Amino acid sequence: MPDLSKRLQKNGSAKRARKTFRFMPSVPVPPELDRETIAIADMANAFGVTHRTLHFYEEKGLLASDRAGLMRIYHASDARQMAVVNLCREVGMPVADIQDLLERIRSAESQEDADETFQEALEARRRELTANMSALHRQMQQITDYLEGETGASPTNDNRTEHDLSDAERECLELMAEGYTLTRLSRAMQISPEKVQELEVSIIRKFDANNRFQAVAKAVLLGIVKT
């Protein structure tokens, strides 16, 4: 884009007061963005998002841009970062988790380290989606059973007390009530994602719930956790 290059030369190199990444996960970038300077319209069109979305990502620290006069511009490195962010958002990863992920990627000591960190995050998200799918299947079955006249009241065990929970389960439950995902729970409790899943399963069973959301709701109703 000659006009853009001239503007950059006229206004000088944009000062990039931003955090830098030595390595970025190997996520495909739209080929049309393989250039040094990228206008915001081109960035938005390539990833199928709006200008407002890009502004939002910048506000949350997921992306950065420079200025050439009044024009907001991006660079090839920003396109690589946006490719990672866009994939994370497409699989439903919360913004807070993406922020944490980018911080870990920024600390990567090698390309292999960056790729492994990203793959671990995607694996954790896959486990979350799998758990959610299982919960949805159970809920759909309950609805089907009811509509077909096959209801069977299951015990609700509303006498559950906080003393039935281990210290680790109580800590996990309180964080679940705050909306922590499996990945954030693992980091906050400093245990493996597999151990977090074991705690969640145990909590769900103790509250005779079908999923983590029902368990938290019952815990709140019983006053075991505060919201």
Side-chain angles (χ1 to χ4, degrees):
M1 295 180 65
D3 292 342
L4 182 54
S5 299
K6 289 180 180 178
R7 291 191 189 189
L8 284 171
Q9 293 172 2
K10 181 178 179 180
N11 291 282
S13 298
K15 294 182 179 179
R16 309 186 71 197
R18 62 175 72 192
K19 296 180 179 179
T20 58
F21 291 82
R22 288 185 296 168
F23 305 99
M24 186 59 64
S26 304
V27 177
V29 177
E32 62 268 31
L33 299 184
D34 186 19
R35 57 178 186 268
E36 181 52 35
T37 54
I38 305 165
I40 187 171
D42 294 333
M43 181 76 99
N45 290 337
F47 285 104
V49 300
T50 64
H51 291 204
R52 186 184 296 274
T53 297
L54 294 176
H55 294 164
F56 173 75
Y57 289 165
E58 290 185 35
E59 290 173 2
K60 296 300 181 181
L62 305 182
L63 190 64
S65 67
D66 289 329
R67 292 279 184 175
L70 298 178
M71 181 181 294
R72 177 185 259 103
I73 61 168
Y74 300 93
H75 299 267
S77 59
D78 303 318
R80 291 193 294 272
Q81 185 171 335
M82 178 59 187
V84 171
V85 171
N86 194 59
L87 177 56
C88 289
R89 291 299 289 161
E90 286 184 341
V91 300
M93 196 177 294
V95 169
D97 283 1
I98 302 176
Q99 291 170 329
D100 291 342
L101 172 60
L102 290 178
E103 285 299 323
R104 285 182 285 137
I105 292 173
R106 188 173 287 113
S107 302
E109 297 294 335
S110 66
Q111 183 63 52
E112 181 180 3
D113 189 17
D115 288 333
E116 183 177 351
T117 297
F118 187 56
Q119 289 167 7
E120 288 175 353
L122 290 181
E123 285 291 347
R125 181 57 184 160
R126 179 161 63 180
R127 287 193 294 268
E128 291 174 0
L129 292 173
T130 299
N132 290 340
M133 287 174 61
S134 298
L136 286 173
H137 285 311
R138 288 196 299 272
Q139 292 165 5
M140 288 294 293
Q141 188 59 53
Q142 286 181 314
I143 292 173
T144 300
D145 291 345
Y146 180 84
L147 293 177
E148 294 179 355
E150 299 177 0
T151 57
S154 59
T156 57
N157 194 3
D158 286 340
N159 294 318
R160 182 70 55 196
T161 71
E162 58 184 306
H163 303 296
D164 294 315
L165 300 172
S166 68
D167 290 341
E169 288 171 344
R170 181 172 177 78
E171 180 185 2
C172 183
L173 178 60
E174 290 174 346
L175 294 175
M176 286 164 58
E178 293 180 21
Y180 276 52
T181 61
L182 186 147
T183 303
R184 293 187 68 194
L185 280 168
S186 177
R187 288 199 295 274
M189 298 183 69
Q190 297 184 338
I191 57 178
S192 68
E194 290 74 21
K195 182 60 178 177
V196 171
Q197 285 187 312
E198 291 177 8
L199 289 173
E200 285 195 12
V201 169
S202 179
I203 291 168
I204 291 170
R205 183 178 64 251
K206 287 185 176 182
F207 281 95
D208 293 317
N210 292 315
N211 52 58
R212 63 172 3 223
F213 305 107
Q214 282 189 7
V216 169
K218 286 191 175 185
V220 171
L221 289 173
L222 292 171
I224 296 175
V225 296
K226 308 295 181 182
T227 57

